Amino acid sequence: MIKTAETYHVPVLLKESIDGLNIQPGGIYVDVTFGGGGHSREILSRMDTHAHLYSFDQDADAEKNIVDDHRFTFVRSNFRYLKNWMRYYGVDHIDGLLADLGVSSHHFDDESRGFSFRFDAPLDMRMNKRAGITAADIINNYEERKLANVFYLYGEMKNSRTIASALVKARASQPIMTTQDFLTIIEPLFKREREKKEMARLFQALRIEVNHEMTALKEMLLAATDLIRPGGRLSVITYHSLEDRIVKNVMRAGNAEGKISQDFFGKIETPFLLVNNKVITPSKEEQETNPRSRSAKLRIAEKK
């Protein structure tokens, strides 16, 4: 098991995802989820001296893992601004892009960030601690219907209205500021045997809303579609059905909604060819040594 930056993050599907990029001599590659740098280091190990890698991360903690290599450029930014930054660096086309979506093990293990219900911490959940609203802002300020929609759309919670109602009633007495405040209110709403799974989905929903993850993902994938040159590869690892659906739609239809367009002969028009029709999942060994990998799915597509 490869660990990077003092176990900041153990890269998932490392070999499979980088194999999927089919790295070419002198190519230009992008890792939009740098994190602990595990995937980026593997990409660099396969590149020649004339190639270049641009790696994105908006989290200041990730900067501690920056690679000292003349072929490497770190971009401190949300990957939704991919096209703007490539224009800034004078890059018109790239040969491949890797995305390892979701949250790194570092974020779940950092007690101060509020990403996990295992610790009592401020309800923050921002990937970029320098800007944006926090999870506490959402819980205390969203009107009830909007709060319910967040839990239903991003956590797929069937009892989203009940949860939102309980939070609105509780915050009328005092603000809900920590993970423990939050858990005290919602724990009675779940059956004991499903409690942890439901909590995880609730925290997922809040995290997605705080970081505008679905919007950012759509914008990044559409930018990647324009930037990747013919024959270049898109390699994406997903962890839940919402993001996987978007990735699948872009690869199969060229848009996030999955709207199919056909030419005069009825052939589906899409900018990509699927490299793997069936998703690639981690081996049993990887799942045992790296629990984060258990829900991972890898999709790879080649630009036409």
Side-chain angles (χ1 to χ4, degrees):
M1 178 173 67
I2 297 175
K3 294 186 179 182
T4 59
E6 297 178 350
T7 70
Y8 179 103
H9 176 64
V10 181
V12 172
L13 287 164
L14 181 64
K15 181 180 184 301
E16 295 89 340
S17 61
I18 309 306
D19 284 350
L21 288 176
N22 191 30
I23 293 173
Q24 301 298 309
I28 297 175
Y29 294 90
V30 177
D31 175 359
V32 294
T33 48
F34 179 69
H39 288 104
S40 284
R41 286 183 174 83
E42 181 64 22
I43 293 170
L44 286 165
S45 74
R46 303 190 190 193
M47 288 174 13
D48 67 18
T49 189
H50 302 294
H52 202 87
L53 171 66
Y54 296 88
S55 291
F56 284 67
D57 208 298
Q58 61 184 326
D59 189 348
D61 288 353
E63 296 180 44
K64 301 169 187 174
N65 308 320
I66 288 176
V67 181
D68 183 16
D69 193 307
H70 73 277
R71 302 168 300 166
F72 176 81
T73 299
F74 181 80
V75 184
R76 184 208 269 192
S77 178
N78 188 308
F79 59 45
R80 70 191 304 175
Y81 304 116
L82 169 66
K83 185 172 281 188
N84 292 347
W85 280 103
M86 290 299 95
R87 188 182 299 121
Y88 173 81
Y89 285 110
V91 176
D92 295 322
H93 294 95
I94 62 177
D95 295 279
L97 182 143
L98 171 79
D100 179 10
L101 304 175
V103 183
S104 73
S105 49
H106 164 76
H107 289 120
F108 282 128
D109 293 337
D110 187 338
E111 298 184 21
S112 68
R113 301 288 289 273
F115 283 99
S116 173
F117 54 83
R118 289 180 293 144
F119 313 112
D120 186 21
L123 280 165
D124 193 318
M125 299 194 190
R126 290 174 299 169
M127 296 290 190
N128 179 359
K129 293 186 287 186
R130 299 177 291 268
I133 63 171
T134 67
D137 293 328
I138 290 170
I139 291 168
N140 289 293
N141 299 318
Y142 274 25
E143 57 99 13
E144 187 174 321
R145 184 176 180 181
K146 188 175 182 181
L147 199 54
N149 285 342
V150 169
F151 297 141
Y152 182 75
L153 291 173
Y154 299 145
E156 300 178 286
M157 309 294 298
K158 293 180 180 178
N159 60 339
S160 59
R161 291 182 181 178
T162 303
I163 296 167
S165 177
L167 291 168
V168 169
K169 288 176 183 175
R171 76 190 190 192
S173 301
Q174 62 180 45
I176 303 164
M177 302 304 296
T178 69
T179 53
Q180 189 54 55
D181 293 341
F182 184 63
L183 293 176
T184 298
I185 297 161
I186 63 171
E187 274 181 330
L189 305 178
F190 300 128
K191 292 180 179 179
R192 180 70 62 181
E193 64 271 16
R194 289 189 55 81
E195 191 174 274
K196 287 187 178 180
K197 184 170 286 188
E198 301 290 354
M199 295 292 188
R201 289 163 64 185
L202 263 184
F203 272 65
Q204 170 187 291
L206 283 170
R207 189 199 77 227
I208 289 172
E209 179 70 6
V210 166
N211 297 289
H212 308 291
E213 290 181 29
M214 296 301 103
T215 301
L217 176 59
K218 292 174 186 177
E219 292 178 5
M220 182 275 289
L221 289 172
L222 293 179
T225 300
D226 291 338
L227 284 166
I228 298 173
R229 69 174 77 252
R233 294 286 185 88
L234 177 61
S235 181
V236 185
I237 304 168
T238 65
Y239 295 88
H240 59 77
S241 60
L242 300 174
E243 59 191 15
D244 185 60
R245 190 178 305 126
I246 292 171
V247 172
K248 180 172 67 174
N249 286 343
V250 169
M251 288 183 174
R252 294 191 174 186
N255 59 76
E257 296 72 33
K259 295 177 181 176
I260 299 294
S261 60
Q262 298 176 314
D263 62 17
F264 179 78
F265 301 100
K267 187 178 180 181
I268 295 174
E269 295 181 317
T270 173
F272 291 106
L273 292 171
L274 298 181
V275 173
N276 58 320
N277 284 305
K278 186 178 179 181
V279 293
I280 297 170
T281 56
S283 66
K284 185 175 290 187
E285 181 184 12
E286 179 173 358
Q287 291 183 46
E288 289 174 354
T289 55
N290 184 5
R292 180 176 177 267
S293 72
R294 289 171 187 167
S295 59
K297 294 179 180 179
L298 171 64
R299 295 184 185 274
I300 305 164
E302 182 172 295
K303 184 74 176 290
K304 287 183 178 178

